[in-house]
Amino acid sequence: MGMLLKFSGLIDGLTRLIGRSVIWLILLATLISAANAVARKAFNIGSNAFLEIQWYLFAAVFMLGAGYAFLQNAHVRIDVLANKLSKRTRMMVDIGGILLFLFPMCYLIGQFAWPSLIAAYNSGEMSSNAGGLIRWPLYALVPAGFFLLALQGISELIKRLAFLTGSGPDPTLHESGSHGAPAPDVAVHDNASGEAHK
């Protein structure tokens, strides 16, 4: 399990690097939006390329940041139900979700997206808007984003298995609110079983 946890740590490091990098694209999109608004209002100059690059940047943040949201335990949960389960049961539910839903979804979406990317690249597909941008970089975000999400899924699977075997800490506490720093070594009370886990 030690080697698997090291591999998980490498994936987490890559995910963290990508997640913290794409955050800057939000600032870039904001600056482009402001510059576009000033140019349009002050000089009556407009460009569809300026509008579309904002969409591209938003798509990049959303797609490439999905794995980082998973790492930070920031994805959507039904907490009203999850909080009633024991910690071990929640880990087993997570493992089932990763194996039965996350991995197949990432694979299927990647399979559907790849031919569109290749066709757009080979044809040099452009936006239908005048002065718009080339499309294949936007299409590339879909398989890239789901690949990164699946990669982080592998890491989360390893960490949950390690927790269940007593080889690792609770992965739902490790990242949340810590910006990558390990959580403090505290006992966590298990609501359903009354057990305490370190």
Side-chain angles (χ1 to χ4, degrees), residues 88-166:
R88 292 184 65 82
T89 302
R90 287 170 65 183
M91 292 297 156
M92 288 187 281
V93 169
D94 282 355
I95 289 171
I98 291 169
L99 292 174
L100 298 177
F101 297 102
L102 179 68
F103 288 158
M105 178 193 70
C106 291
Y107 174 77
L108 289 173
I109 291 177
Q111 285 288 97
F112 282 121
W114 190 256
S116 297
L117 167 60
I118 297 302
Y121 179 81
N122 289 335
S123 67
E125 181 182 342
M126 298 289 294
S127 168
S128 58
N129 298 314
L133 301 175
I134 194 165
R135 284 291 176 87
W136 72 261
L138 185 64
Y139 293 167
L141 291 173
V142 177
F146 279 96
F147 171 76
L148 292 172
L149 181 59
L151 193 62
Q152 187 58 39
I154 294 172
S155 174
E156 298 303 319
L157 180 63
I158 292 169
K159 287 184 285 189
R160 280 155 177 76
L161 290 171
F163 175 80
L164 289 177
T165 59

Coordinates of all heavy atoms in Angstrom, one line a residue, residues 88-166:
R88 N -16.7 4.3 7.8 CA -16.4 3.2 6.9 C -17.4 3.0 5.8 O -17.0 2.8 4.6 CB -16.2 1.9 7.7 CG -15.0 1.9 8.7 CD -14.9 0.6 9.4 NE -14.6 -0.5 8.4 CZ -13.3 -0.7 8.0 NH1 -12.3 0.0 8.4 NH2 -13.1 -1.7 7.2
T89 N -18.7 3.2 6.1 CA -19.7 3.0 5.1 C -19.6 4.1 4.0 O -19.8 3.9 2.8 CB -21.1 3.1 5.7 OG1 -21.2 2.0 6.7 CG2 -22.2 2.9 4.7
R90 N -19.3 5.4 4.5 CA -19.1 6.5 3.5 C -18.0 6.2 2.6 O -18.0 6.5 1.4 CB -18.9 7.8 4.3 CG -20.2 8.3 5.0 CD -20.0 9.4 5.9 NE -19.5 10.6 5.2 CZ -19.1 11.7 5.9 NH1 -19.2 11.8 7.2 NH2 -18.7 12.8 5.2
M91 N -16.9 5.6 3.1 CA -15.8 5.3 2.3 C -16.1 4.2 1.3 O -15.7 4.3 0.1 CB -14.6 4.8 3.1 CG -14.0 5.9 4.0 SD -13.2 7.2 3.1 CE -13.3 8.5 4.3
M92 N -16.9 3.2 1.7 CA -17.3 2.2 0.8 C -18.3 2.7 -0.3 O -18.2 2.3 -1.5 CB -17.9 1.0 1.5 CG -16.9 0.2 2.3 SD -17.5 -1.3 3.0 CE -18.4 -0.6 4.5
V93 N -19.1 3.7 0.1 CA -20.0 4.3 -0.9 C -19.2 5.1 -1.9 O -19.4 5.1 -3.1 CB -21.0 5.2 -0.2 CG1 -21.8 6.1 -1.2 CG2 -22.0 4.4 0.6
D94 N -18.2 5.8 -1.4 CA -17.3 6.6 -2.3 C -16.6 5.6 -3.3 O -16.5 5.9 -4.5 CB -16.2 7.4 -1.5 CG -16.8 8.6 -0.9 OD1 -18.0 9.0 -1.2 OD2 -16.1 9.3 -0.1
I95 N -16.1 4.5 -2.8 CA -15.4 3.6 -3.6 C -16.3 3.0 -4.7 O -15.9 2.9 -5.9 CB -14.8 2.4 -2.8 CG1 -13.6 2.9 -1.9 CG2 -14.3 1.3 -3.6 CD1 -13.1 2.0 -0.9
G96 N -17.5 2.7 -4.3 CA -18.5 2.2 -5.3 C -18.8 3.3 -6.3 O -18.9 3.0 -7.5
G97 N -18.9 4.5 -5.9 CA -19.2 5.6 -6.8 C -18.1 5.8 -7.8 O -18.3 6.1 -9.0
I98 N -16.8 5.8 -7.3 CA -15.7 5.9 -8.2 C -15.6 4.8 -9.2 O -15.4 5.1 -10.4 CB -14.4 6.0 -7.4 CG1 -14.3 7.3 -6.5 CG2 -13.2 5.9 -8.3 CD1 -13.2 7.3 -5.5
L99 N -15.8 3.6 -8.8 CA -15.7 2.4 -9.7 C -16.9 2.3 -10.6 O -16.7 2.0 -11.8 CB -15.5 1.1 -8.9 CG -14.2 1.0 -8.0 CD1 -14.3 -0.3 -7.2 CD2 -13.0 0.9 -9.0
L100 N -18.1 2.5 -10.1 CA -19.3 2.2 -10.9 C -19.8 3.4 -11.7 O -20.5 3.2 -12.7 CB -20.4 1.7 -10.0 CG -20.1 0.4 -9.3 CD1 -21.3 0.1 -8.3 CD2 -19.9 -0.7 -10.2
F101 N -19.4 4.6 -11.3 CA -19.9 5.8 -12.0 C -18.8 6.7 -12.5 O -18.9 7.1 -13.7 CB -20.8 6.6 -11.0 CG -22.1 5.9 -10.6 CD1 -22.1 5.3 -9.4 CD2 -23.1 5.7 -11.5 CE1 -23.2 4.6 -8.9 CE2 -24.3 5.0 -11.1 CZ -24.3 4.4 -9.8
L102 N -17.9 7.1 -11.7 CA -16.9 8.0 -12.2 C -16.0 7.5 -13.3 O -15.9 8.1 -14.4 CB -15.9 8.5 -11.0 CG -14.8 9.4 -11.4 CD1 -15.4 10.8 -11.8 CD2 -13.8 9.6 -10.3
F103 N -15.4 6.3 -13.1 CA -14.5 5.8 -14.2 C -15.3 5.5 -15.5 O -14.8 5.9 -16.5 CB -13.8 4.5 -13.7 CG -12.7 4.8 -12.7 CD1 -12.3 3.8 -11.8 CD2 -12.1 6.1 -12.6 CE1 -11.3 4.1 -10.9 CE2 -11.1 6.3 -11.6 CZ -10.7 5.3 -10.8
P104 N -16.4 4.8 -15.4 CA -17.2 4.6 -16.7 C -17.6 5.9 -17.4 O -17.5 6.0 -18.6 CB -18.4 3.8 -16.3 CG -18.0 3.1 -15.0 CD -17.1 4.1 -14.3
M105 N -18.0 6.9 -16.6 CA -18.4 8.2 -17.1 C -17.2 8.9 -17.8 O -17.4 9.4 -19.0 CB -19.0 9.1 -16.1 CG -19.4 10.5 -16.6 SD -19.6 11.7 -15.3 CE -18.0 12.0 -14.6
C106 N -16.1 8.9 -17.2 CA -14.9 9.5 -17.8 C -14.5 8.8 -19.1 O -14.2 9.5 -20.1 CB -13.7 9.5 -16.8 SG -14.0 10.6 -15.4
Y107 N -14.6 7.5 -19.0 CA -14.2 6.7 -20.2 C -15.2 7.0 -21.4 O -14.8 7.3 -22.5 CB -14.2 5.2 -19.9 CG -14.0 4.4 -21.1 CD1 -12.8 4.2 -21.7 CD2 -15.1 3.7 -21.7 CE1 -12.6 3.4 -22.8 CE2 -14.9 2.9 -22.8 CZ -13.6 2.8 -23.4 OH -13.5 2.0 -24.5
L108 N -16.5 7.0 -21.1 CA -17.5 7.2 -22.2 C -17.4 8.6 -22.7 O -17.5 8.7 -24.0 CB -18.9 6.8 -21.6 CG -19.2 5.4 -21.3 CD1 -20.5 5.2 -20.7 CD2 -19.1 4.5 -22.6
I109 N -17.3 9.6 -21.9 CA -17.2 10.9 -22.4 C -16.0 11.1 -23.2 O -16.0 11.8 -24.2 CB -17.3 11.9 -21.2 CG1 -18.8 11.9 -20.6 CG2 -17.0 13.4 -21.7 CD1 -19.0 12.8 -19.4
G110 N -14.9 10.6 -22.7 CA -13.6 10.6 -23.5 C -13.8 10.0 -24.9 O -13.3 10.5 -25.9
Q111 N -14.4 8.8 -24.9 CA -14.7 8.1 -26.2 C -15.5 8.9 -27.1 O -15.3 9.0 -28.4 CB -15.3 6.8 -25.9 CG -14.4 5.7 -25.4 CD -13.4 5.2 -26.4 OE1 -12.3 5.7 -26.4 NE2 -13.8 4.3 -27.2
F112 N -16.5 9.6 -26.6 CA -17.4 10.4 -27.5 C -16.7 11.7 -27.9 O -16.9 12.2 -29.0 CB -18.7 10.8 -26.7 CG -19.7 9.6 -26.7 CD1 -20.1 9.1 -25.5 CD2 -20.2 9.1 -27.8 CE1 -21.1 8.1 -25.4 CE2 -21.1 8.0 -27.8 CZ -21.5 7.5 -26.6
A113 N -15.9 12.3 -27.0 CA -15.3 13.6 -27.3 C -14.1 13.5 -28.3 O -13.9 14.4 -29.1 CB -14.8 14.2 -26.0
W114 N -13.4 12.4 -28.2 CA -12.2 12.3 -29.0 C -12.4 12.4 -30.5 O -11.6 13.2 -31.2 CB -11.4 11.0 -28.7 CG -10.1 10.9 -29.3 CD1 -9.7 10.2 -30.4 CD2 -8.9 11.6 -28.8 NE1 -8.3 10.4 -30.6 CE2 -7.8 11.2 -29.7 CE3 -8.7 12.5 -27.8 CZ2 -6.6 11.7 -29.5 CZ3 -7.4 13.0 -27.6 CH2 -6.4 12.6 -28.5
P115 N -13.4 11.7 -31.1 CA -13.6 11.9 -32.6 C -13.9 13.3 -33.0 O -13.5 13.8 -34.0 CB -14.8 10.9 -32.9 CG -14.7 9.9 -31.8 CD -14.3 10.7 -30.6
S116 N -14.7 14.0 -32.1 CA -15.0 15.4 -32.5 C -13.7 16.3 -32.4 O -13.6 17.2 -33.3 CB -16.0 16.0 -31.4 OG -17.2 15.3 -31.5
L117 N -12.8 16.0 -31.5 CA -11.6 16.8 -31.4 C -10.7 16.5 -32.6 O -10.2 17.4 -33.3 CB -10.8 16.3 -30.1 CG -9.3 16.7 -30.0 CD1 -9.2 18.3 -30.1 CD2 -8.7 16.2 -28.8
I118 N -10.6 15.2 -33.0 CA -9.8 14.9 -34.2 C -10.4 15.5 -35.5 O -9.6 16.1 -36.3 CB -9.7 13.4 -34.4 CG1 -9.0 12.8 -33.1 CG2 -8.9 13.0 -35.6 CD1 -7.6 13.3 -32.9
A119 N -11.7 15.4 -35.6 CA -12.3 16.0 -36.8 C -12.1 17.5 -36.9 O -11.8 18.1 -37.9 CB -13.8 15.7 -36.8
A120 N -12.3 18.2 -35.7 CA -12.1 19.7 -35.7 C -10.7 20.0 -36.0 O -10.4 21.0 -36.7 CB -12.5 20.2 -34.3
Y121 N -9.7 19.2 -35.5 CA -8.3 19.5 -35.7 C -8.0 19.3 -37.2 O -7.3 20.2 -37.8 CB -7.4 18.6 -34.8 CG -6.0 18.8 -35.0 CD1 -5.3 19.9 -34.4 CD2 -5.2 18.0 -35.8 CE1 -4.0 20.1 -34.5 CE2 -3.9 18.2 -36.0 CZ -3.2 19.3 -35.4 OH -1.9 19.4 -35.5
N122 N -8.4 18.2 -37.7 CA -8.1 17.9 -39.1 C -8.7 18.9 -40.1 O -8.1 19.3 -41.2 CB -8.5 16.5 -39.5 CG -7.6 15.5 -38.8 OD1 -6.5 15.7 -38.5 ND2 -8.2 14.3 -38.6
S123 N -9.9 19.4 -39.8 CA -10.6 20.3 -40.7 C -10.3 21.8 -40.4 O -10.6 22.6 -41.2 CB -12.1 20.1 -40.5 OG -12.6 20.5 -39.3
G124 N -9.6 22.0 -39.3 CA -9.3 23.4 -38.9 C -10.6 24.2 -38.6 O -10.7 25.4 -38.9
E125 N -11.6 23.5 -38.0 CA -12.9 24.1 -37.8 C -12.7 25.4 -37.0 O -12.0 25.5 -36.0 CB -13.7 23.1 -36.9 CG -15.1 23.6 -36.6 CD -15.9 22.7 -35.8 OE1 -15.6 21.5 -35.7 OE2 -16.9 23.1 -35.2
M126 N -13.5 26.4 -37.5 CA -13.5 27.7 -36.9 C -14.9 28.0 -36.4 O -15.9 27.4 -36.8 CB -13.1 28.8 -38.0 CG -11.7 28.6 -38.6 SD -10.4 29.0 -37.4 CE -10.7 30.8 -37.1
S127 N -14.9 29.0 -35.5 CA -16.2 29.5 -35.0 C -17.0 30.0 -36.2 O -16.5 30.6 -37.1 CB -16.0 30.6 -34.0 OG -17.2 31.3 -33.7
S128 N -18.4 29.9 -36.1 CA -19.2 30.4 -37.2 C -19.4 31.9 -37.0 O -19.9 32.6 -38.0 CB -20.6 29.7 -37.1 OG -21.2 29.9 -35.8
N129 N -19.0 32.5 -35.9 CA -19.0 33.9 -35.7 C -17.9 34.6 -36.5 O -16.8 34.1 -36.5 CB -19.0 34.3 -34.3 CG -20.1 33.7 -33.5 OD1 -21.3 33.8 -33.9 ND2 -19.8 33.1 -32.3
A130 N -18.2 35.8 -37.0 CA -17.2 36.5 -37.8 C -16.0 36.9 -36.8 O -16.3 37.4 -35.7 CB -17.8 37.8 -38.3
G131 N -14.8 36.6 -37.2 CA -13.7 36.9 -36.4 C -13.5 36.0 -35.2 O -12.7 36.2 -34.2
G132 N -14.2 34.8 -35.2 CA -14.2 33.9 -34.1 C -12.9 33.1 -34.1 O -12.1 33.2 -35.0
L133 N -12.8 32.2 -33.1 CA -11.6 31.5 -32.9 C -11.7 30.0 -33.4 O -12.8 29.5 -33.7 CB -11.3 31.4 -31.4 CG -11.1 32.7 -30.6 CD1 -11.0 32.4 -29.1 CD2 -10.0 33.5 -31.2
I134 N -10.5 29.4 -33.6 CA -10.4 28.0 -34.0 C -11.0 27.2 -32.8 O -10.9 27.5 -31.7 CB -9.0 27.7 -34.3 CG1 -8.9 26.3 -35.0 CG2 -8.1 27.6 -33.1 CD1 -7.6 26.0 -35.7
R135 N -11.6 26.1 -33.2 CA -12.4 25.3 -32.2 C -11.7 24.1 -31.5 O -12.1 23.8 -30.4 CB -13.7 24.8 -32.9 CG -14.8 25.9 -33.1 CD -15.4 26.3 -31.8 NE -16.3 27.4 -31.9 CZ -17.6 27.2 -32.1 NH1 -18.1 26.0 -32.3 NH2 -18.4 28.3 -32.2
W136 N -10.7 23.6 -32.2 CA -10.2 22.3 -31.6 C -9.6 22.5 -30.2 O -9.7 21.5 -29.4 CB -9.2 21.6 -32.6 CG -7.9 22.3 -32.7 CD1 -7.4 23.1 -33.7 CD2 -6.7 22.1 -31.8 NE1 -6.2 23.5 -33.5 CE2 -5.7 22.9 -32.3 CE3 -6.5 21.4 -30.6 CZ2 -4.5 23.0 -31.7 CZ3 -5.3 21.5 -30.0 CH2 -4.3 22.3 -30.6
P137 N -9.0 23.6 -29.8 CA -8.5 23.7 -28.4 C -9.6 23.6 -27.4 O -9.5 23.1 -26.3 CB -7.8 25.1 -28.4 CG -7.4 25.4 -29.8 CD -8.6 24.8 -30.6
L138 N -10.8 24.2 -27.8 CA -12.0 24.1 -26.9 C -12.4 22.6 -26.8 O -12.7 22.1 -25.7 CB -13.1 24.9 -27.4 CG -14.3 25.0 -26.6 CD1 -14.0 25.7 -25.2 CD2 -15.4 25.8 -27.3
Y139 N -12.5 21.9 -27.9 CA -12.9 20.5 -27.9 C -11.9 19.7 -27.1 O -12.2 18.7 -26.4 CB -13.0 19.9 -29.3 CG -14.1 20.5 -30.1 CD1 -14.1 20.3 -31.5 CD2 -15.1 21.2 -29.6 CE1 -15.1 20.8 -32.3 CE2 -16.1 21.7 -30.4 CZ -16.1 21.5 -31.7 OH -17.1 22.0 -32.5
A140 N -10.6 20.0 -27.1 CA -9.5 19.3 -26.4 C -9.7 19.3 -24.9 O -9.3 18.4 -24.2 CB -8.2 19.8 -26.8
L141 N -10.4 20.4 -24.4 CA -10.6 20.5 -23.0 C -11.4 19.4 -22.4 O -11.3 19.0 -21.2 CB -11.2 21.8 -22.6 CG -10.3 23.1 -22.8 CD1 -11.2 24.3 -22.7 CD2 -9.1 23.0 -21.9
V142 N -12.3 18.8 -23.2 CA -13.2 17.8 -22.7 C -12.5 16.5 -22.4 O -12.5 16.0 -21.2 CB -14.4 17.5 -23.7 CG1 -15.3 16.4 -23.2 CG2 -15.2 18.8 -23.9
P143 N -11.8 15.9 -23.3 CA -11.0 14.6 -23.0 C -9.9 14.9 -21.9 O -9.7 14.1 -21.1 CB -10.5 14.1 -24.3 CG -10.5 15.3 -25.2 CD -11.7 16.1 -24.8
A144 N -9.3 16.1 -22.0 CA -8.2 16.4 -21.1 C -8.8 16.5 -19.7 O -8.3 16.0 -18.7 CB -7.5 17.7 -21.5
G145 N -9.9 17.2 -19.5 CA -10.5 17.4 -18.2 C -11.0 16.1 -17.6 O -10.8 15.9 -16.4
F146 N -11.6 15.3 -18.4 CA -12.1 14.0 -17.9 C -11.0 13.0 -17.6 O -11.1 12.2 -16.7 CB -13.2 13.4 -18.8 CG -14.5 14.0 -18.5 CD1 -15.0 15.1 -19.3 CD2 -15.3 13.6 -17.5 CE1 -16.2 15.7 -19.1 CE2 -16.6 14.2 -17.2 CZ -17.0 15.2 -18.0
F147 N -9.9 13.1 -18.4 CA -8.7 12.3 -18.1 C -8.1 12.7 -16.7 O -7.8 11.8 -15.9 CB -7.6 12.5 -19.1 CG -6.3 11.9 -18.8 CD1 -6.1 10.5 -18.9 CD2 -5.3 12.6 -18.3 CE1 -4.9 9.9 -18.5 CE2 -4.0 12.1 -18.0 CZ -3.9 10.7 -18.1
L148 N -8.0 14.0 -16.5 CA -7.5 14.5 -15.2 C -8.4 14.1 -14.0 O -8.0 13.8 -12.9 CB -7.3 16.0 -15.2 CG -6.2 16.5 -16.1 CD1 -6.2 18.0 -16.2 CD2 -4.8 16.0 -15.7
L149 N -9.7 14.2 -14.3 CA -10.7 13.8 -13.2 C -10.6 12.3 -12.9 O -10.6 11.9 -11.8 CB -12.1 14.1 -13.7 CG -13.2 13.8 -12.7 CD1 -13.1 14.5 -11.4 CD2 -14.6 14.1 -13.3
A150 N -10.4 11.5 -14.0 CA -10.2 10.0 -13.7 C -8.9 9.7 -13.0 O -8.9 8.9 -12.1 CB -10.3 9.3 -15.1
L151 N -7.9 10.5 -13.4 CA -6.6 10.3 -12.7 C -6.7 10.6 -11.2 O -6.2 9.9 -10.4 CB -5.6 11.2 -13.4 CG -4.1 11.0 -13.0 CD1 -3.6 9.6 -13.5 CD2 -3.2 12.0 -13.7
Q152 N -7.4 11.7 -10.9 CA -7.6 12.0 -9.5 C -8.5 11.0 -8.8 O -8.4 10.7 -7.6 CB -8.2 13.4 -9.3 CG -8.3 13.9 -7.9 CD -7.0 13.9 -7.2 OE1 -6.0 14.3 -7.8 NE2 -6.9 13.5 -5.9
G153 N -9.4 10.4 -9.6 CA -10.3 9.3 -9.1 C -9.4 8.1 -8.6 O -9.7 7.5 -7.6
I154 N -8.4 7.8 -9.4 CA -7.5 6.7 -9.0 C -6.8 7.1 -7.6 O -6.8 6.2 -6.7 CB -6.4 6.5 -10.1 CG1 -7.0 6.0 -11.4 CG2 -5.3 5.6 -9.6 CD1 -6.0 6.0 -12.5
S155 N -6.4 8.3 -7.5 CA -5.8 8.7 -6.2 C -6.8 8.6 -5.1 O -6.4 8.1 -4.0 CB -5.3 10.2 -6.3 OG -4.8 10.6 -5.1
E156 N -8.0 9.1 -5.3 CA -9.0 9.0 -4.2 C -9.4 7.6 -3.9 O -9.6 7.3 -2.7 CB -10.2 9.8 -4.7 CG -10.0 11.3 -4.9 CD -9.4 12.0 -3.7 OE1 -9.8 11.7 -2.6 OE2 -8.5 12.8 -3.9
L157 N -9.4 6.7 -4.9 CA -9.7 5.3 -4.6 C -8.6 4.7 -3.7 O -8.9 4.0 -2.8 CB -9.8 4.6 -6.0 CG -10.1 3.1 -5.9 CD1 -11.4 2.8 -5.3 CD2 -10.0 2.5 -7.3
I158 N -7.3 5.0 -4.1 CA -6.2 4.5 -3.3 C -6.3 5.0 -1.8 O -6.2 4.2 -0.9 CB -4.9 4.9 -3.9 CG1 -4.7 4.2 -5.2 CG2 -3.7 4.6 -2.9 CD1 -3.5 4.7 -6.0
K159 N -6.6 6.3 -1.6 CA -6.7 6.8 -0.3 C -7.8 6.3 0.5 O -7.7 6.0 1.7 CB -6.8 8.4 -0.4 CG -5.5 9.0 -0.8 CD -5.6 10.5 -0.8 CE -6.4 11.1 -2.0 NZ -6.3 12.6 -2.1
R160 N -8.9 6.0 -0.1 CA -10.1 5.4 0.6 C -9.8 3.9 1.0 O -10.1 3.5 2.1 CB -11.3 5.6 -0.2 CG -11.9 7.0 -0.1 CD -12.8 7.4 -1.2 NE -13.3 8.7 -1.0 CZ -12.7 9.8 -1.2 NH1 -11.4 9.8 -1.5 NH2 -13.2 11.0 -0.9
L161 N -9.2 3.2 0.1 CA -8.8 1.8 0.4 C -7.7 1.8 1.6 O -7.8 1.0 2.4 CB -8.2 1.1 -0.8 CG -9.2 0.8 -1.9 CD1 -8.5 0.3 -3.2 CD2 -10.2 -0.2 -1.4
A162 N -6.8 2.8 1.5 CA -5.8 2.9 2.6 C -6.5 3.2 3.9 O -6.1 2.6 5.0 CB -4.8 3.9 2.3
F163 N -7.5 4.0 3.9 CA -8.2 4.3 5.2 C -8.9 3.1 5.7 O -8.9 2.8 6.9 CB -9.2 5.5 4.9 CG -10.1 5.8 6.1 CD1 -9.6 6.6 7.1 CD2 -11.3 5.3 6.2 CE1 -10.4 6.8 8.3 CE2 -12.1 5.5 7.3 CZ -11.7 6.3 8.3
L164 N -9.6 2.4 4.8 CA -10.3 1.2 5.2 C -9.4 0.1 5.8 O -9.8 -0.7 6.7 CB -11.1 0.6 4.1 CG -12.3 1.5 3.7 CD1 -13.0 0.9 2.5 CD2 -13.3 1.6 4.8
T165 N -8.2 0.0 5.3 CA -7.2 -1.0 5.8 C -6.4 -0.5 6.9 O -5.5 -1.2 7.4 CB -6.3 -1.5 4.6 OG1 -5.6 -0.3 4.1 CG2 -7.1 -2.1 3.5
G166 N -6.6 0.8 7.4 CA -5.8 1.3 8.5 C -4.5 1.8 8.0 O -3.6 2.0 8.9

